[in-house]
């Protein structure tokens, strides 16, 4: 059913700009909501691209998502941690309300010291998102923090414990929650 809806949305993308936000919220409540939210945000951005481009990024809250740490020796989890980071960057950048540093900019901090205040100054961002991936038996724990760069204070933090049987499903669920929570906390 979600696939049929997504196909219809793609075919009718140009007429959907006015209802995109309402449908994105409704889509977030469905089983396939993450994909629907991402599609609707793309549609919303396409319809509002002129205003998004006209708004200078200096007026938008700025954020850098640091590469998530892999707290295991398993290289497969390294790819998972990198994928989490990339998808969070993408999820935050899809909305036009944040200035999000690119993957190529933030991945320079992979496996290096992580002082949010220093990174905030260097990258000229107001917020830094940091996190880790840690397998615990047949489960995986993902932690994420939103840090105000100027003070180094945590604004928001969460941990997610999920069975590690389907890493992509975990990734989609957690990323949807993280991007929503980070966006909401920055907007405040």
């Amino acid at each position: 059913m979600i696939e049929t809806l997504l196909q219809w949305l793609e075919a009718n993308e140009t007429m959907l700009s006015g209802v995109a936000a309402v449908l994105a919220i409704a889509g977030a409540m469905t089983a396939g909501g993450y994909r629907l939210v991402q599609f609707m945000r793309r549609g919303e951005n396409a319809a509002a691209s002129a205003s998004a481009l006209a708004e200078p990024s200096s007026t938008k809250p700025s954020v850098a998502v640091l590469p998530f740490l892999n707290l295991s020796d398993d290289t497969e989890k390294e790819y998972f941690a990198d994928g989490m980071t990339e998808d969070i960057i993408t999820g935050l950048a899809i909305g036009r309300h944040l200035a999000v540093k690119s993957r190529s900019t933030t991945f320079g901090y992979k496996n290096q010291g992580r002082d949010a205040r220093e990174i905030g100054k260097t990258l000229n961002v107001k917020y830094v998102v940091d996190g880790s991936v840690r397998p615990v038996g047949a489960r995986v724990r993902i932690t994420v923090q939103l840090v105000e760069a100027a003070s180094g204070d945590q604004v928001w933090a969460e941990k997610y414990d999920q069975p590690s049987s389907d890493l992509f499903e975990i990734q989609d669920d957690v990323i949807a929650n993280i991007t929503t929570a980070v966006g909401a906390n920055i907007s405040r």
Side-chain angles (χ1 to χ4, degrees):
M1 181 163 168
I2 291 293
E3 291 302 319
T4 304
L5 178 59
L6 287 173
Q7 289 171 356
W8 181 87
L9 289 170
E10 286 176 10
N12 296 287
E13 187 170 0
T14 57
M15 69 176 210
L16 294 173
S17 64
V19 295
V22 173
L23 290 176
I25 292 167
M29 296 177 193
T30 68
Y34 175 70
R35 291 180 51 216
L36 181 60
V37 167
Q38 297 310 313
F39 176 82
M40 294 309 298
R41 286 183 182 162
R42 275 199 327 261
E44 180 183 40
N45 282 347
S49 61
S51 65
L53 291 174
E55 182 182 355
S57 63
S58 63
T59 63
K60 301 176 187 178
S62 54
V63 62
V65 182
L66 298 180
F68 274 41
L69 295 172
N70 172 22
L71 299 180
S72 77
D73 294 331
D74 185 353
T75 57
E76 194 173 308
K77 298 298 187 282
E78 187 75 24
Y79 296 121
F80 180 70
D82 289 349
M84 290 288 300
T85 306
E86 289 179 16
D87 286 351
I88 292 168
I89 290 169
T90 301
L92 292 173
I94 285 173
R96 66 182 188 270
H97 306 293
L98 297 174
V100 183
K101 292 296 179 182
S102 71
R103 176 200 187 281
S104 60
T105 300
T106 60
F107 267 71
Y109 291 94
K110 185 172 177 150
N111 300 323
Q112 294 193 10
R114 295 172 171 265
D115 183 344
R117 293 170 297 186
E118 232 8 81
I119 292 169
K121 285 179 195 171
T122 303
L123 296 180
N124 193 29
V125 293
K126 187 169 181 176
Y127 298 98
V128 174
V129 175
D130 199 2
S132 65
V133 174
R134 176 179 43 186
V136 181
R139 300 182 66 78
V140 63
R141 174 171 284 175
I142 300 163
T143 63
V144 62
Q145 302 86 33
L146 176 64
V147 179
E148 183 182 47
S151 66
D153 294 339
Q154 281 191 357
V155 176
W156 171 83
E158 190 65 64
K159 70 177 180 181
Y160 302 90
D161 289 316
Q162 301 282 337
S164 60
S165 56
D166 186 355
L167 292 180
F168 286 121
E169 186 176 320
I170 294 167
Q171 199 169 7
D172 286 348
D173 289 344
V174 171
I175 287 166
N177 290 333
I178 290 171
T179 55
T180 301
V182 167
N185 278 282
I186 288 176
S187 294
R188 276 190 226 149

